[in-house]
Amino acid sequence: MSNNQKPKFSKALVGAYGTISMIVHAMACQPAKNAGALVAVNAISDAVPLIHGPLGCGGLRKMNSFGVHSLFPDTPCTNLMELELVYGAEKKLRRGIVETYERYRPALIVVVPTCPSDMIGDDLAAAVRQAKKEVGCEVVYSTGELIKGRPIGYHDVLCSLFDQLLPDGMEIQKMENSVNLITFPIHSVNNKLGEMVDILEEIGIKVNKIFFDNTSLKDIYDLPRAVLNITDLPLPWLDRMKERFGVPFYATSSLDHPTDPKEINPHGMENSARIFLKIADLLGKRDRAEAVVKKRKQYAEERLMEETKGLKGKKVAVVGGFFFGMGLLLVREMGMEASVLIYKTYGLESHGMGRNALKQIMDMDREVAKHYGSEPLVLINPTHGEEIRAIRESETDLVIAPGADIFRYHGEGIRAFDSMKFYMDSLRIGFECPVELALMLKKALERPAKKNPLLSMLDYDRYESNLHPSWVKLENVWRAVIEGADGGCLYG
């Protein structure tokens, strides 16, 4: 399978594999820098990564990928052995680059270093310069983890691509009134950005590139043609693009004011209108934008009013955070009531989040829920029995939870909605998103809870209730290793 082909799987397999792989990944695998690096490289259709390290590093993501849409089919590896770790591996890297080109014929090879290659201090730049004389493609090397950010290695690859492919002095032909849409490489990018592209073009703003959306090497070269980058959060490589080519960026979300719902959660009718008008202001298209946004928003609001008639006043229990996810849309756009907020903090704490930070998140969630007329019961690390009892006693109509937990509520006869699937596939800036959410919620409330007999036959841990007790023991071992290795901060 070539690097730019997407495998075709049934929805059932995608759902099952995605759930299982994320559980296993979270409990039994340190992501390491090559995890984030591979996410970035795999999103470039004509690029191939070259893992500069032992075979275990090259096979890590094959044994335990992030999901069925992130299989990383091509991960050639230099296969470092003890001898190279003593005497150096630059010659082996050069040969690896040449062999990778001869086998895959890509437009771009990205060398991804690993911990062993970092320890021996190979001169990657020298090896790459020598190898480029023998291949007919671009070769870029990542510096590993010099650029901080999560997941480790992801931002570093992007900065390396920018620095080595787009140097100072490049001649750029600008595209007037054009923008780049910067996204995280997930498989639902068309669904997430289709409406935004339509609205921007109706305003008179052209989309130069969507990065990432079947992105090629040529698309990377063309990025500086835009006059503005639009991103969800500030990214290190966008700072460099601003400095080098004078292309500023507008971030639709910001961490500067983490207690402001509009800053941290930019979704919904009013926030979407504000963002489109802000983009228009930056490009001098305000007058045209006001008419377009008003028409689009009004049409969507009329449909939303009709679709939420059966949702207003319905009670929802939200698992895993309210303020940052779709919980805010439930009370603000749908008119639903937050009855229970459920927090399972073990994973966050083992990833390095302090208790004060967790308390602040919970306090913000409660304040926002109260602002929209809800007084939810708050449960922190409840047992499965305590959780189910609170949901029933509060007469909750629907549980909003990650897909890995859904079967537990269905097994108790409680309807549930997959928050992670909605986040990955549908949550976006635009006026159609709340309408789609209302339709999905109505279907979830009408659909009887589906029991999973096979899953229900297993024993589950008292607190980590989506895992078998023996898996929890293994999870604890790996978390202890991770904490000792990097202070408990799993993703950098």
Side-chain angles (χ1 to χ4, degrees):
M1 184 186 298
S2 65
N3 200 45
N4 61 346
Q5 287 180 313
K6 296 295 183 184
K8 295 181 179 179
F9 293 93
S10 69
K11 289 184 178 180
L13 179 58
V14 170
Y17 184 83
T19 298
I20 295 168
S21 70
M22 286 305 295
I23 294 174
V24 176
H25 165 77
M27 73 171 225
C29 181
Q30 298 184 56
K33 71 189 75 173
N34 63 352
L38 286 173
V39 168
V41 180
N42 200 51
I44 303 170
S45 61
D46 50 1
V48 170
L50 174 59
I51 308 296
H52 187 38
L55 277 180
C57 297
L60 178 63
R61 295 271 69 79
K62 292 184 182 296
M63 294 186 296
N64 189 7
S65 64
F66 290 115
V68 79
H69 294 282
S70 301
L71 294 178
F72 310 118
D74 301 323
T75 54
C77 175
T78 55
N79 187 21
L80 296 189
M81 308 293 281
E82 288 87 347
L83 191 64
E84 286 88 29
L85 295 180
V86 175
Y87 293 104
E90 292 170 23
K91 290 183 179 179
K92 199 165 191 179
L93 174 58
R94 181 189 62 77
R95 290 199 305 271
I97 293 171
V98 174
E99 291 174 6
T100 298
Y101 176 73
E102 291 175 347
R103 178 173 181 178
Y104 297 99
R105 297 289 172 173
L108 171 66
I109 296 172
V110 180
V111 177
V112 178
T114 59
C115 296
S117 63
D118 283 349
M119 287 190 296
I120 61 178
D122 277 344
D123 188 345
L124 300 184
V128 166
R129 281 195 303 270
Q130 184 63 32
K132 286 178 74 172
K133 300 174 183 177
E134 304 177 55
V135 298
C137 71
E138 286 284 2
V139 184
V140 168
Y141 63 93
S142 167
T143 55
E145 53 184 310
L146 293 179
I147 308 299
K148 297 301 180 183
R150 302 183 183 187
I152 295 174
Y154 175 75
H155 298 291
D156 195 275
V157 164
L158 295 183
C159 287
S160 298
L161 289 171
F162 184 81
D163 288 340
Q164 296 169 48
L165 295 177
L166 302 172
D168 288 320
M170 280 188 63
E171 187 174 333
I172 302 297
Q173 185 178 357
K174 287 290 185 180
M175 181 186 293
E176 187 178 358
N177 296 322
S178 67
V179 298
N180 295 320
L181 303 182
I182 311 301
T183 72
F184 192 76
I186 57 177
H187 62 273
S188 56
V189 64
N190 289 330
N191 186 41
K192 281 179 169 282
L193 292 177
E195 183 186 1
M196 175 175 276
V197 171
D198 289 344
I199 292 175
L200 291 177
E201 289 182 347
E202 190 174 350
I203 292 171
I205 298 172
K206 296 185 284 289
V207 175
N208 175 45
K209 297 294 175 184
I210 298 176
F211 189 78
F212 298 90
D213 179 22
N214 197 30
T215 297
S216 67
L217 176 62
K218 182 182 182 303
D219 293 326
I220 297 175
Y221 287 134
D222 288 341
L223 284 173
R225 296 185 64 197
V227 297
L228 178 68
N229 287 316
I230 300 172
T231 179
D232 54 352
L233 287 168
L235 302 172
W237 71 275
L238 292 179
D239 287 324
R240 301 184 182 198
M241 195 167 178
K242 179 180 178 181
E243 295 169 2
R244 190 170 301 173
F245 297 107
V247 183
F249 67 85
Y250 169 61
T252 57
S253 300
S254 173
L255 299 178
D256 293 336
H257 304 94
T259 59
D260 184 349
K262 287 188 289 188
E263 290 281 343
I264 201 70
N265 192 333
H267 309 101
M269 295 291 185
E270 295 298 331
N271 284 339
S272 294
R274 172 180 58 83
I275 287 169
F276 283 121
L277 292 176
K278 177 62 177 179
I279 294 170
D281 279 339
L282 293 171
L283 294 173
K285 297 283 185 179
R286 178 78 184 203
D287 292 342
R288 174 63 178 160
E290 286 182 346
V292 171
V293 169
K294 181 179 179 181
K295 179 187 70 174
R296 293 263 190 164
K297 180 169 174 280
Q298 182 176 347
Y299 175 65
E301 284 177 333
E302 290 172 358
R303 294 172 59 208
L304 182 64
M305 186 177 298
E306 182 65 27
E307 299 299 343
T308 54
K309 286 181 179 178
L311 297 177
K312 292 186 184 297
K314 293 287 186 181
K315 293 183 178 181
V316 291
V318 181
V319 180
F322 180 81
F323 180 75
F324 297 97
M326 59 177 284
L328 193 55
L329 290 178
L330 298 175
V331 295
R332 187 180 62 198
E333 311 284 332
M334 309 293 136
M336 304 176 87
E337 178 186 343
S339 56
V340 186
L341 300 182
I342 301 166
Y343 300 92
K344 300 173 183 180
T345 67
Y346 179 71
L348 292 172
E349 289 183 74
S350 67
H351 283 37
M353 183 173 285
R355 294 188 177 181
N356 288 337
L358 288 167
K359 182 179 182 303
Q360 186 177 6
I361 290 173
M362 295 176 197
D363 290 343
M364 288 191 298
D365 284 350
R366 279 193 292 257
E367 286 299 315
V368 171
K370 185 176 181 180
H371 178 76
Y372 290 100
S374 297
E375 292 281 355
L377 172 68
V378 176
L379 299 179
I380 302 173
N381 297 322
T383 64
H384 179 61
E386 292 169 343
E387 193 177 347
I388 297 302
R389 184 164 56 252
I391 290 170
R392 285 180 172 151
E393 289 178 354
S394 63
E395 298 181 340
T396 292
D397 298 291
L398 187 67
V399 176
I400 311 298
D405 292 334
I406 293 294
F407 80 93
R408 299 190 304 105
Y409 304 108
H410 284 178
E412 301 287 347
I414 297 172
R415 292 181 174 88
F417 182 86
D418 190 342
S419 58
M420 184 57 68
K421 187 177 189 310
F422 178 77
Y423 172 79
M424 295 295 290
D425 294 345
S426 303
L427 184 62
R428 64 191 185 275
I429 293 167
F431 305 115
E432 293 298 317
C433 176
V435 180
E436 289 180 14
L437 177 57
L439 292 169
M440 292 177 186
L441 291 170
K442 287 170 68 175
K443 286 184 179 179
L445 286 166
E446 294 168 0
R447 189 185 303 120
K450 179 182 177 182
K451 295 188 178 182
N452 299 89
L454 291 178
L455 292 175
S456 300
M457 291 173 65
L458 298 173
D459 293 327
Y460 292 93
D461 185 72
R462 182 182 180 190
Y463 292 100
E464 298 261 355
S465 51
N466 60 340
L467 293 180
H468 189 274
S470 61
W471 282 29
V472 174
K473 292 178 181 178
L474 180 61
E475 176 189 33
N476 290 335
V477 170
W478 279 103
R479 290 198 190 280
V481 171
I482 293 166
E483 186 171 352
D486 59 14
C489 194
L490 187 59
Y491 290 100

